[in-house]
Amino acid sequence: MVTFEDVKNNSEIQALIKGASHVLNVMNYTEHGLRHVGYVSRTAHMILKKLGFDDKTAELAKIAGYIHDVGNMINRKNHGITAATLVYPILRDMGMLLDDVCEICSAVGNHEEEIGWVVNPIAAALIIADKSDAHRTRVKRINQHFDDIHDRVNYSIRKNIVLVDSETKIISIKFYMDNSSSVMDYLKIFLPRMVMCEKAANFLGCAFRLYINDIIINTVRQMTTSQIDDAEEE
């Protein structure tokens, strides 16, 4: 089996990550280099392990997390699809089984909230891990612009945590913000991403909770059709 370490040490993969990071630096995006992909990789692996998935599936999620953003080397738009296309031949040349490559590429190609879909457990873990990485370390000190909402929101976040409770089947993302930005600013850019995280958690058989400064932002109660009808009549 091709392992995460094999992928991490592959010179082509390293070049793609470096190239993607460079392009987004030029475009003044938040950090998408080794720190980001390392975080996403570790977090995706952790999510599936805590939910009792087998070692192989968790390892594939770890690999997907590491390579999910290499498509940014070509263009930010549809970078998930581009990434899947780029890594497919590399993973096959490394000797990875076709079924495993398909699982990874499906996940990578579907991690963007604009066009993606939760297609498998690897995709679900990747989505939650990727969208949870909002933090002040992602803002580049050299060219930070606080009139840019992405810089402002990310810089205000001092701590982010993903919690997986395997007993209650709840996945939580917690952000701790200072007053240099606001919850309203956060929701302007992150709400579609959190909706996708909720879908990903549901795919994994879990409810989803979003906290900002220890205040829960959403509800985990899923209403039945009859309850919805009753609420509309009130």
Side-chain angles (χ1 to χ4, degrees), residues 17-218:
I17 293 174
K18 182 179 179 181
S21 178
H22 170 73
V23 168
L24 292 188
N25 283 340
V26 173
M27 296 171 67
N28 290 327
Y29 271 83
T30 49
E31 183 269 332
H32 281 73
L34 290 173
R35 191 214 62 84
H36 173 63
V37 301
Y39 168 89
V40 175
S41 176
R42 293 190 302 273
T43 305
H45 181 267
M46 177 274 292
I47 291 169
L48 294 190
K49 286 296 291 180
K50 288 208 168 184
L51 290 176
F53 282 84
D54 60 276
D55 290 341
K56 180 179 178 180
T57 303
E59 182 86 350
L60 294 180
K62 193 173 186 180
I63 293 170
Y66 196 74
I67 61 179
H68 76 284
D69 267 348
V70 298
N72 286 304
M73 183 196 67
I74 294 177
N75 197 292
R76 177 65 179 166
K77 187 174 182 180
N78 295 335
H79 67 274
I81 294 173
T82 305
T85 305
L86 287 171
V87 300
Y88 178 92
I90 297 174
L91 296 177
R92 287 294 285 155
D93 287 345
M94 293 178 68
M96 183 176 285
L97 295 174
L98 180 57
D99 286 348
D100 295 344
V101 175
C102 290
E103 289 284 294
I104 289 173
C105 289
S106 294
V108 170
N110 276 283
H111 83 271
E112 298 174 79
E113 65 271 15
E114 299 88 353
I115 59 172
W117 200 266
V118 188
V119 294
N120 58 35
I122 297 167
L126 170 60
I127 288 163
I128 295 168
D130 182 42
K131 310 312 175 192
S132 70
D133 190 23
H135 193 267
R136 64 192 322 238
T137 54
R138 299 197 69 184
V139 180
K140 304 173 190 67
R141 298 297 180 88
I142 295 176
N143 56 357
Q144 62 185 248
H145 301 286
F146 286 100
D147 56 342
D148 182 304
I149 191 171
H150 294 85
D151 278 5
R152 188 166 67 248
V153 169
N154 275 279
Y155 194 76
S156 73
I157 297 174
R158 301 305 179 100
K159 187 177 182 181
N160 59 316
I161 308 171
V162 176
L163 300 173
V164 179
D165 191 323
S166 59
E167 293 186 5
T168 61
K169 295 292 185 180
I170 295 175
I171 297 176
S172 303
I173 299 179
K174 294 188 174 185
F175 294 108
Y176 294 89
M177 302 175 64
D178 64 26
N179 59 9
S180 61
S181 186
S182 67
V183 174
M184 181 68 79
D185 276 351
Y186 172 87
L187 292 175
K188 285 179 182 178
I189 57 175
F190 279 93
L191 183 56
R193 303 175 194 182
M194 293 301 104
V195 170
M196 194 180 196
C197 286
E198 185 172 51
K199 292 177 180 177
N202 293 164
F203 187 94
L204 294 171
C206 298
F208 176 72
R209 284 181 178 169
L210 170 64
Y211 294 85
I212 298 180
N213 294 341
D214 287 328
I215 297 174
I216 189 166
I217 304 300
N218 67 323

